[in-house]
Amino acid sequence: VPMGVLTCMKYLMFIFNVLVFAGGTCLAALGVWVAVDPAGFQDIVAARAVLSTGAWLLLAVGIALALLGFLGCCGALRRSRPLLLL
């Protein structure tokens, strides 16, 4: 495989993992906002317990995606197979 193709794949994997990291960070921020903001969503969330659980679930999924994206970025830059397989 030519070296240029491997370099292109490395940067494409890095960009994809940055997008996953950014999406996870946005989901985590939205989960924190829904769970904490007393003026915004709190009236809706207090009325239904399912929405409160959904906010915490959104936070957990966001943190997991952000961690996965971060480890993927590190694995792509270092060409670490275990990090990429994780």
Side-chain angles (χ1 to χ4, degrees):
V1 177
M3 190 62 174
V5 173
L6 292 177
T7 303
C8 180
M9 287 295 295
K10 172 183 168 181
Y11 288 114
L12 284 174
M13 288 179 70
F14 177 77
I15 290 171
F16 176 74
N17 282 305
V18 165
L19 292 175
V20 170
F21 176 75
T25 304
C26 289
L27 280 178
L30 185 65
V32 168
W33 182 33
V34 170
V36 173
D37 186 24
F41 288 104
Q42 194 66 20
D43 297 333
I44 300 169
V45 172
R48 296 190 176 110
V50 173
L51 292 177
S52 178
T53 305
W56 290 106
L57 184 65
L58 195 67
L59 179 64
V61 169
I63 289 172
L65 280 176
L67 181 64
L68 186 69
F70 178 74
L71 291 176
C73 287
C74 291
L77 289 178
R78 296 180 186 202
R79 295 183 186 171
S80 172
R81 185 181 171 118
L83 281 177
L84 289 174
L85 289 175
L86 181 68

